[in-house]
Amino acid sequence: MRKLELIIPPVVLMGIFAIGMWLLSVQLPKQALFANGSTLAAATIAMIGVIIALSGVQAFRKASTTVNPLEPQEASTLVNTGVYRITRNPMYLGFLLILVGFGVLLQSVYSLALCLGFILYMNRFQIEPEERFLEAQFSNEFVQYKKEVRRWI
């Protein structure tokens, strides 16, 4: 299974899951998740996701470290300030919220269930390998950071 690690860029993976969510929504019955205001709810959730993800990118750029999720060994700095005080993976959390917003827009519980698949995939094939590299590179500093800040929220 290691050959699946760090192979698909997370933003591409988010797109793949979004397509899967849409396909489910057109094949299976819709549910009224929000009787009124579903578009506003979906847009709000997705916008929060965009803001969180961009905050993560901004923190990496400010620290002059790599934003490339496929090359975690290139990390030059352990970023643990800003949004990284709340979540170790703000970019992935942002992507998840964008998918949740999309699922709400689609009015499909089945589509929202795919968000769990996104979390499971990201944990196993993206976050765990990244964290192995970070622990090797930043040792005790990263171990302490993991104790203080949760993976998602």
Side-chain angles (χ1 to χ4, degrees):
M1 289 304 249
R2 281 202 169 206
K3 63 182 173 179
L4 293 175
E5 293 181 346
L6 303 173
I7 210 79
I8 303 172
V11 72
V12 171
L13 190 67
M14 181 183 67
I16 291 168
F17 272 84
I19 291 168
M21 291 170 72
W22 176 77
L23 289 172
L24 277 178
S25 77
V26 298
Q27 295 298 317
L28 298 171
K30 295 188 183 325
Q31 300 79 28
L33 300 174
F34 293 93
N36 296 316
S38 62
T39 303
L40 178 61
T44 301
I45 294 166
M47 187 53 65
I48 291 169
V50 168
I51 290 167
I52 291 171
L54 290 177
S55 295
V57 171
Q58 181 183 26
F60 270 32
R61 298 225 171 154
K62 185 176 180 182
S64 299
T65 193
T66 184
V67 181
N68 184 349
L70 303 183
E71 302 287 338
Q73 67 275 12
E74 300 294 322
S76 59
T77 305
L78 178 62
V79 180
N80 56 10
T81 59
V83 72
Y84 286 91
R85 290 178 298 169
I86 301 165
T87 173
R88 293 195 315 254
N89 297 286
M91 291 178 240
Y92 306 151
L93 175 60
F95 294 165
L96 174 62
L97 289 173
I98 292 166
L99 289 172
V100 169
F102 187 53
V104 170
L105 181 69
L106 294 171
Q107 293 286 300
S108 171
V109 172
Y110 306 109
S111 291
L112 284 171
L114 276 185
C115 292
L116 178 60
F118 179 79
I119 292 169
L120 294 172
Y121 185 95
M122 291 300 292
N123 279 339
R124 173 60 186 89
F125 297 110
Q126 189 66 42
I127 295 171
E128 288 176 11
E130 284 179 0
E131 290 187 343
R132 279 197 309 270
F133 283 112
L134 293 171
E135 192 165 334
Q137 185 138 347
F138 301 107
S139 57
N140 292 339
E141 185 181 4
F142 184 70
V143 170
Q144 184 60 37
Y145 176 61
K146 280 186 0 179
K147 289 178 184 175
E148 295 170 4
V149 179
R150 297 173 62 106
R151 181 176 278 175
W152 290 90
I153 50 172

